[in-house]
């Protein structure tokens, strides 16, 4: 892991201000921020691990647990809620056996609920690996997930 993150760390000035971009790039490579990486980053930038966890916890984008190969996000915002977002989430949880915030034991899927994707006209919305699926129905859930 060190050989993966060392070039990232070395491409930034060795100061606290580099923390967020370094965390973003390391997560981009590893998919999450394992403790080993956080330790390396802390040593390199001369900040404490608790500082890093404090900063990173503030931003929803950072993950400290290994994520599934496929990211499934279901919108639970107002527009989606009104148009059946809860049913879509219910179908997804049934299909992959996860609650929001969880990852399957085989690391195939991670499931998240999102407050709004900004695509309310397409409600209810589900996003898989960055691909937006709008006007979702429960039968479509199985069909879409089976493609991943
Ligand atoms: S409320 Fe779901 S996309 Fe906006």
């Amino acid at each position: 892991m060190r050989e993966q993150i060392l070039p990232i760390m070395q491409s930034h000035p060795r100061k606290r201000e580099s923390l967020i971009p370094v965390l973003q790039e390391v997560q981009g490579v590893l998919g999450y921020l394992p403790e080993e990486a956080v330790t390396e980053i802390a040593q390199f930038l001369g900040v404490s691990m608790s500082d890093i966890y404090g900063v990173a916890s503030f931003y929803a984008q950072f993950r400290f647990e290994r994520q599934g190969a496929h990211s499934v996000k279901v919108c639970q915002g107002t527009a989606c809620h009104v148009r059946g977002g809860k049913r879509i989430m219910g179908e997804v949880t049934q299909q992959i056996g996860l609650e929001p915030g969880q990852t399957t034991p085989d690391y195939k899927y991670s499931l998240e609920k999102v407050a709004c994707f900004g695509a309310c006209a397409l409600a209810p919305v589900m996003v898989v690996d960055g691909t937006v699926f709008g006007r979702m129905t429960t039968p479509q859930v199985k069909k879409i997930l089976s493609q991943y």
Side-chain angles (χ1 to χ4, degrees):
M1 178 184 302
R2 187 161 205 275
E3 56 280 5
Q4 284 176 286
I5 67 173
L6 196 58
I8 294 172
M9 295 189 297
Q10 287 173 336
S11 71
H12 292 273
R14 212 167 177 165
K15 54 185 186 180
R16 191 186 163 82
E17 288 71 26
S18 300
L19 182 56
I20 300 284
V22 168
L23 291 174
Q24 286 171 328
E25 289 178 38
V26 168
Q27 181 168 284
V29 169
L30 302 178
Y32 72 117
L33 297 168
E35 189 177 339
E36 196 185 333
V38 174
T39 305
E40 292 280 350
I41 295 166
Q43 285 170 0
F44 187 85
L45 295 178
V47 296
S48 70
M49 288 187 62
S50 58
D51 269 353
I52 294 183
Y53 285 120
V55 168
S57 301
F58 183 76
Y59 298 93
Q61 63 180 299
F62 294 118
R63 313 253 173 265
F64 298 105
E65 316 249 317
R66 182 177 160 188
Q67 298 297 294
H70 300 294
S71 151
V72 181
K73 298 176 182 176
V74 181
C75 185
Q76 300 294 280
T78 306
C80 288
H81 179 76
V82 168
R83 296 189 196 161
K86 202 171 178 179
R87 277 199 314 276
I88 301 304
M89 178 62 93
E91 184 66 18
V92 172
T93 60
Q94 200 181 326
Q95 290 293 329
I96 59 179
L98 292 179
E99 293 298 322
Q102 294 181 334
T103 297
T104 51
D106 62 359
Y107 295 103
K108 185 169 183 189
Y109 299 107
S110 290
L111 176 61
E112 275 179 70
K113 71 176 178 186
V114 171
C116 178
F117 287 110
C120 309
L122 299 176
V125 175
M126 175 171 103
V127 174
V128 184
D129 294 346
T131 302
V132 176
F133 297 94
R135 299 194 179 95
M136 287 291 301
T137 62
T138 47
Q140 285 175 320
V141 169
K142 189 175 185 179
K143 207 169 150 188
I144 290 168
L145 291 177
S146 69
Q147 296 167 21
Y148 290 89

